Amino acid sequence: MADASSVTIRTRKFMTNRLLQRKQMVVDIIHPGLANLSKEDVREKLSKLYKADKEAVFPFGFSTQFGGGRSTGFVLIYDSFEAAQKFEPKYRLIRQGHGSKGNTSRKQRKERKNRLKKLRGTEKVKGKKPKKEH
């Protein structure tokens, strides 16, 4: 059985995106003998390679080639964690343990949506006011 030290990481299609303050690339991971490499390990290795903060590295979209031994995915490396918080989608931040997921049930969300359908304009934000009786 191979260990994590025999893993090779190669980057392709590297691009610096100044507008979003990040570097983006496709990553090929060659991991013979291993089922897969965790995203945590990928973050660690790429943060060392690109001298970036580990919190600002976001790997996602990995697929393992049939037969194993090789995976391909996408990585975004932000210049700072603040930039990552600004531009990265909430679900990816939650995946890495930054931020929290709203824990309202599906039924509650649907009921709220249907209640709001009956209101117009700014009432939706403020909530429905009781009708005055004469």
Side-chain angles (χ1 to χ4, degrees), residues 12 26 41 57 66 89-90 105 112 122:
R12 291 186 290 129
V26 174
D41 293 340
V57 180
F66 180 72
K90 294 286 179 274
S105 71
R112 183 173 190 275
T122 56

Side-chain angles (χ1 to χ4, degrees), residues 52-71:
D53 180 23
K54 187 182 166 193
E55 299 301 314
V57 180
F58 289 82
F60 62 95
F62 280 90
S63 59
T64 308
Q65 212 175 55
F66 180 72
R70 188 173 172 162
S71 300

Side-chain angles (χ1 to χ4, degrees), residues 83-99:
Q85 281 183 312
K86 187 176 174 185
F87 296 116
E88 205 49 20
K90 294 286 179 274
Y91 76 93
R92 271 194 230 141
L93 289 167
I94 291 166
R95 251 184 217 174
Q96 284 195 13
H98 311 294

